[in-house]
Amino acid sequence: MGRSIVVAVDGGEESIHALTWCLQNIVVVGTTADEASSNSGGSVKGDTVVLLYARPSPSIYPAMDGSGYLFSSDIIASMDNYAKHLADTVTKKAKMACSSYPNLKVEIKVQNGDPRDVICEMVEKLGADMLVMGSHGYGPLKRAFIGSVSSHCAQNVKCPVLIVKKPKN
């Protein structure tokens, strides 16, 4: 039976590199009935790749900001539309990376919230067999201030976690 592999994507080069590396080195692509009949063996149940994008929660905007400017509903709607467009763009880019594997089952999940929480919760909810993530390569000082999503997930999910670093060119 195929595995469920969650790949966290965020639009950065690091996450696309991690997805590509996963597709080339980890994923087992299933065969169709036609392909199975031409081979000596039976059909193979391939892995399922779940592309997970954690969209930051919509901010709650006060009626007035600190300088007295009023946020109109048009501005708030425009910001929300941008967040949805960004999620669509990121997931389409990731799905395109999977397009050279026609028999690969790909699912897309977009969830609102902090990436640390969203990724850990979805891996648990989906019963994933593996989590694959890219590494932004932050140094220790920056990681101390903003935290590391991959470190948090590696410590908190129950399945194996593969953190793929993009080579420096």
Side-chain angles (χ1 to χ4, degrees), residues 62-125:
M64 266 187 221
D65 70 3
S67 60
Y69 288 103
L70 191 63
F71 284 107
S72 71
S73 60
D74 290 341
I75 291 173
I76 294 171
S78 177
M79 293 167 72
D80 289 340
N81 285 338
Y82 174 75
K84 289 175 186 171
H85 174 72
L86 182 60
D88 289 343
T89 302
V90 168
T91 55
K92 283 179 186 174
K93 184 177 179 181
K95 179 104 177 176
M96 187 174 287
C98 299
S99 65
S100 58
Y101 300 86
N103 296 333
L104 179 64
K105 184 175 179 191
V106 178
E107 297 176 8
I108 295 175
K109 303 280 185 193
V110 176
Q111 297 289 317
N112 290 337
D114 181 274
R116 293 168 183 82
D117 300 330
V118 167
I119 294 168
C120 292
E121 289 168 11
M122 286 302 294
V123 164
E124 184 73 25
K125 180 179 176 183

Side-chain angles (χ1 to χ4, degrees), residues 8-19 53 86 90 93 134-136 166:
V9 294
D10 65 3
E13 290 180 26
E14 296 84 3
S15 70
I16 295 299
H17 175 73
L19 171 60
Y53 177 73
L86 182 60
V90 168
K93 184 177 179 181
S135 171
H136 288 280
K166 187 172 190 254

